[in-house]
Structure formats: C-alpha cells, structure tokens
Amino acid sequence: MTVQRQQKWIYAAALACLWASSEIILGSFLHNLKVPMRGTILASIAVIIMSAVGYRFRLKGIYWRAGLLTAAMKTLSPSAVLLGPMLAITIQGLLMEMVVSAGGTRRIMFILGGAISITWNFAHLILGYWLYYGNDVVALGASLVQYIQKETGWQFITGWGLIAAFGSVYFTAGTVAAIIGTSMRKPDPSKTLV
C-alpha cells in the first residue's frame, strides 16, 4: 500500500465520520419525527460535505471510500432499517466519485455529481417498488403516486407528472447542495481570532 493510498483512506475516514454522524444522529432524529423526505435531507448534507472537502482540497478517490466507510458505520445506527440506507450511501459515494473523476475537480463536475448522487435516492425508490410489484407498471405507478402524495401532500398534480415532479426535487436538491458545498471558502487567516 503506497503512502498516497493510505492518505486517501485517512481523508476518506475523516469525511466518513462527518457523513456518518449526520446519518446516524440526525437520521434517527428525523426518522423518529417522521419528517418527509428525510433521506433527501441527509443525502444533501452528504453532498455538501463531499463537495466542500473535495472542491477545496482537490481530492479524488475519497468519495467511494467515504461512502463505504459511512455505510459500515451506519450499522451502529439504532434504526431497524439499515440495508437500504447502507446501499444508498455506498452508491451515492460511488456516483460522486465517477462523475468527479470523469471531468476533474471543476465546480460543474461537483454540481453534476451532487445532483446525480441524490437523484439515486429516487431511482432507489423506484427500484424498490419495481422489485415489489414486478412488471405491473400500473400498480407500480399508482403506489408511487400514493407514496409521493403522502410524503409531500401534493394534490395539485397526479399521475406520471407527479412522479416526474418528485424526481426533479431530488435533482434540484443535489444541485443546490453541491453549489452550497463548493461555495464554501477557505478562511482568511488575517481575520481569525487569536
């Protein structure tokens, strides 16, 4: 194992500690309060952390590692549902890694990576319903619409339009989270308190 690879695991572990603390502590709190779209809130925090650290320090190769470590730490969560969130966390880190690695550490790649990694939560939701209902598109669509209306309270739109609008919320949340993360600046040493 080279020194550079060891350092990437160390950086990833530090990033995973921040990510896992929000997943475990805040996630349990939001779950107990039954806050709608809590997975999107937690994924947005993860994207803010990943994009802030990665964009500021120009680090590559740490997102998939951080996702893997965070998923492992998620086993310490008091929640009864662990496998789905652990899979989502791992894939979010992997997607962020793939997008940023494909285009370099430019801001637009972090924004695109954040949008895609949070949109995975929506794809994960659809995949779960598809595994349950199989190829019955009508039952799948009706169940998704019912779930979305319960989560959001949206009654002004129905059918596939509601599903598309709900999917765009995930993409927008990822975009905004990455913009926030990449907007964080290095502190000015002349303005720090002694």
Side-chain angles (χ1 to χ4, degrees), residues 21-189:
S21 64
S22 75
E23 283 285 339
I24 295 168
I25 298 166
L26 184 60
S28 298
F29 183 68
L30 294 176
H31 181 75
N32 288 334
L33 289 178
K34 298 186 183 348
V35 173
M37 299 189 71
R38 54 193 166 270
T40 307
I41 294 168
L42 295 170
S44 297
I45 292 169
V47 166
I48 289 170
I49 293 168
M50 283 192 287
S51 57
V53 170
Y55 186 66
R56 179 174 169 188
F57 296 107
R58 305 292 187 202
L59 298 171
K60 281 197 221 175
I62 63 165
Y63 312 111
W64 71 267
R65 290 175 171 93
L68 197 62
L69 293 170
T70 302
M73 286 188 249
K74 182 72 175 168
T75 59
L76 302 173
S77 177
S79 175
V81 180
L82 291 176
L83 191 57
M86 287 171 65
L87 178 64
I89 289 166
T90 304
I91 292 179
Q92 286 168 3
L94 186 63
L95 288 172
M96 187 71 149
E97 188 69 52
M98 288 168 57
V99 173
V100 171
S101 295
T105 54
R106 294 174 299 146
R107 187 176 194 201
I108 190 70
M109 298 315 291
F110 283 98
I111 294 170
L112 183 61
I116 290 172
S117 68
I118 291 184
T119 305
W120 162 255
N121 284 3
F122 183 61
H124 188 145
L125 176 70
I126 292 173
L127 182 63
Y129 275 99
W130 178 72
L131 288 172
Y132 186 77
Y133 290 103
N135 291 329
D136 188 352
V137 177
V138 174
L140 182 132
S143 295
L144 268 174
V145 166
Q146 190 177 25
Y147 170 79
I148 293 167
Q149 286 177 335
K150 187 183 113 193
E151 282 287 300
T152 61
W154 293 350
Q155 301 295 330
F156 58 90
I157 186 171
T158 59
W160 295 106
L162 177 63
I163 294 170
F166 192 62
S168 67
V169 169
Y170 286 88
F171 191 85
T172 304
T175 302
V176 170
I179 289 170
I180 291 169
T182 55
S183 297
M184 295 184 182
R185 299 277 183 238
K186 203 170 187 176
D188 186 354

